[in-house]
């Protein structure tokens, strides 16, 4: 069995799961679904800094990564937001993620960084769009006539 051909689909499945989990966090905080924000149990008030903005990033970037659309920029933004969450919210409580409650932030940060570096995998809208644009025939270039108007 040639396992090298499993790299693209495996990366895609990894991206889909990470994107879905991140998007669900955003849905819970923005709309109060699935038990709401883990801290309050409700939706975060619109525009509240940094909670609502972080939840919006989770929702939008999670959906984009899940779909595999604009994957690298979305994953990079998501990774940065989780690095911010770790160093601003969790790290002041203690250095180690196990002691400061920052395991999820650290895992999401590194997971999204991996996706940003490796790309979306073979099952992604980005990959489909790149294939279609590569397969599309280029339009012939026509020369302008030099007839005065």
């Amino acid at each position: 069995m040639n396992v090298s051909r499993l790299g693209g689909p495996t990366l895609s499945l990894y991206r889909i799961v990470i994107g879905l989990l991140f998007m669900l966090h955003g849905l819970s905080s923005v709309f109060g679904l699935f038990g709401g924000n883990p801290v309050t149990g409700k939706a975060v008030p619109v525009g509240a800094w940094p909670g609502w903005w972080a939840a919006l990033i989770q929702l939008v970037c999670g959906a984009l990564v899940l779909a595999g659309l604009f994957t690298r920029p979305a994953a990079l933004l998501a990774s940065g937001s989780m690095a911010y969450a770790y160093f601003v919210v969790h790290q002041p409580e203690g250095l180690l993620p196990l002691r400061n409650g920052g395991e999820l932030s650290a895992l999401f940060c590194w997971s999204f960084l991996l996706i940003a570096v490796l790309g979306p995998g073979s099952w992604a809208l980005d990959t489909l769009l790149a294939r279609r644009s590569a397969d599309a025939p280029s339009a012939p270039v026509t020369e302008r006539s030099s007839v005065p108007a």
Side-chain angles (χ1 to χ4, degrees):
M1 178 176 187
N2 183 5
V3 293
S4 64
R5 64 188 174 107
L6 298 176
T10 304
L11 180 58
S12 294
L13 290 172
Y14 180 77
R15 173 190 47 80
I16 289 166
V17 170
I18 295 297
L20 176 65
L21 293 173
F22 205 58
M23 185 183 74
L24 291 175
H25 274 275
L27 284 171
S28 69
S29 294
V30 171
F31 299 113
L33 301 174
F34 313 113
N37 180 285
V39 177
T40 64
K42 300 176 184 175
V44 176
V46 175
W49 178 260
W52 186 82
W53 296 98
L56 186 63
I57 289 172
Q58 291 170 354
L59 177 60
V60 173
C61 290
L64 288 171
V65 168
L66 171 65
L69 185 63
F70 305 114
T71 307
R72 289 179 194 259
L76 192 61
L77 178 59
S79 177
S81 74
M82 289 294 96
Y84 176 88
Y86 182 78
F87 286 111
V88 171
V89 176
H90 299 287
Q91 198 274 329
E93 302 298 320
L95 181 61
L96 298 175
L98 200 56
R99 303 288 292 161
N100 65 24
E103 301 98 331
L104 204 52
S105 295
L107 284 170
F108 272 130
C109 177
W110 287 103
S111 295
F112 282 117
L113 185 61
L114 181 70
I115 292 167
V117 169
L118 296 180
S122 54
W123 301 338
L125 290 176
D126 285 339
T127 307
L128 178 67
L129 293 173
R131 242 185 250 141
R132 282 199 177 166
S133 67
D135 291 344
S138 58
V141 178
T142 59
E143 292 186 30
R144 289 185 174 190
S145 63
S146 56
V147 178

